[in-house]
Amino acid sequence: AQSVAQPEDQVNVAEGNPLTVKCTYSVSGNPYLFWYVQYPNRGLQFLLKYITGDNLVKGSYGFEAEFNKSQTSFHLKKPSALVSDSALYFCAVRPFDYKLSFGAGTTVTVRA
Amino acid sequence: EAQVTQNPRYLITVTGKKLTVTCSQNMNHEYMSWYRQDPGLGLRQIYYSMNVEVTDKGDVPEGYKVSRKEKRNFPLILESPSPNQTSLYFCASSFSINQPQHFGDGTRLSIL
């Protein structure tokens, strides 16, 4: 069973508008949660992570994510999207073993 | 420059011809991992290594082998490649499973 889900294959927003990329997980306890971004023909780049503490995590390039334990969600947000934010975004979760599970990815397109 | 280097970047080969994809990192990371990326499936972990001489299966290990004789290197071996192993492969490393992973730029394998 997949432990992390990204319900939207694609997200389209206008430049300057808020951007949200959704992620939900289905592991018990307190998993570690990550967001990565992938640009064409490149490997993934780390954006941010949640381990414990404040539910709002700030990361690279103006991104932030909100951890919601009751809804088992870890949505990625950016208040004002840029065209250069267009990329493929992956949510990842580490349960209690040493594996890392990734979601299927969400393609973000920001139009000028 | 801190990096994860994979070789080759592209390879087209035939069924049954043994191949090795090399991965090297220069960050003294203990944790290394191999993933394959397929459309609609995200990244799936093939094998991981917690340290030298310590490797374990990920979610899709069938048809692959790995070794970790040195800390910096983590080659992926396909003893008898088959067409269903045609994919984009990524090597990644980090200080530990809880830390963000650094990814290589990927190896695109086509098995005919």
Side-chain angles (χ1 to χ4, degrees):
Chain A
Q2 191 172 9
S3 53
V4 58
Q6 295 180 239
E8 299 163 317
D9 291 336
Q10 292 196 354
V11 170
N12 299 302
V13 298
E15 189 172 35
N17 282 1
L19 169 63
T20 299
V21 187
K22 296 179 180 177
C23 172
T24 59
Y25 62 94
S26 58
V27 298
S28 58
N30 299 309
Y32 293 7
L33 297 158
F34 302 84
W35 274 102
Y36 288 85
V37 60
Q38 184 181 30
Y39 298 101
N41 300 315
R42 299 301 303 275
L44 281 67
Q45 297 177 29
F46 169 75
L47 282 178
L48 49 81
K49 69 175 180 180
Y50 174 83
I51 295 178
T52 187
D54 193 349
N55 289 344
L56 186 63
V57 179
K58 292 191 183 298
S60 307
Y61 313 121
F63 283 95
E64 58 189 28
E66 186 168 12
F67 172 67
N68 188 317
K69 188 171 184 177
S70 63
Q71 297 184 2
T72 61
S73 67
F74 189 55
H75 301 332
L76 181 70
K77 300 180 180 182
K78 187 170 184 179
S80 179
L82 301 172
V83 172
S84 57
D85 293 328
S86 298
L88 182 56
Y89 291 79
F90 289 100
C91 181
V93 59
R94 184 219 151 180
F96 289 112
D97 56 18
Y98 293 101
K99 299 176 185 177
L100 192 63
S101 294
F102 283 82
T106 299
T107 299
V108 170
T109 302
V110 182
R111 59 185 184 278
Chain B
E1 179 188 353
Q3 58 186 4
V4 177
T5 303
Q6 296 178 227
N7 280 298
R9 292 291 313 279
Y10 305 90
L11 178 63
I12 301 174
T13 187
V14 296
T15 299
K17 186 176 181 181
K18 181 181 178 180
L19 67 92
T20 299
V21 184
T22 62
C23 173
S24 181
Q25 51 94 3
N26 62 0
M27 295 166 280
N28 202 35
H29 286 165
E30 294 190 347
Y31 185 90
M32 296 187 74
S33 184
W34 275 104
Y35 301 89
R36 59 178 289 174
Q37 183 179 8
D38 301 290
L41 296 177
L43 273 76
R44 292 179 292 168
Q45 195 169 34
I46 303 170
Y47 269 95
Y48 63 92
S49 170
M50 300 296 294
N51 212 326
V52 176
E53 303 291 2
V54 181
T55 63
D56 208 345
K57 297 176 181 179
D59 293 321
V60 289
E62 295 78 19
Y64 304 95
K65 286 176 55 177
V66 294
S67 68
R68 187 92 181 272
K69 293 184 172 58
E70 306 165 282
K71 199 170 191 178
R72 63 183 294 126
N73 295 324
F74 191 46
L76 179 70
I77 304 157
L78 285 71
E79 293 269 3
S80 183
S82 63
N84 64 10
Q85 293 178 298
T86 292
S87 187
L88 179 58
Y89 291 84
F90 288 100
C91 180
S93 72
S94 58
F95 284 111
S96 74
I97 181 60
N98 298 330
Q99 296 302 313
Q101 295 195 22
H102 295 251
F103 282 78
D105 283 337
T107 295
R108 188 167 291 281
L109 285 183
S110 294
I111 316 293
L112 304 178

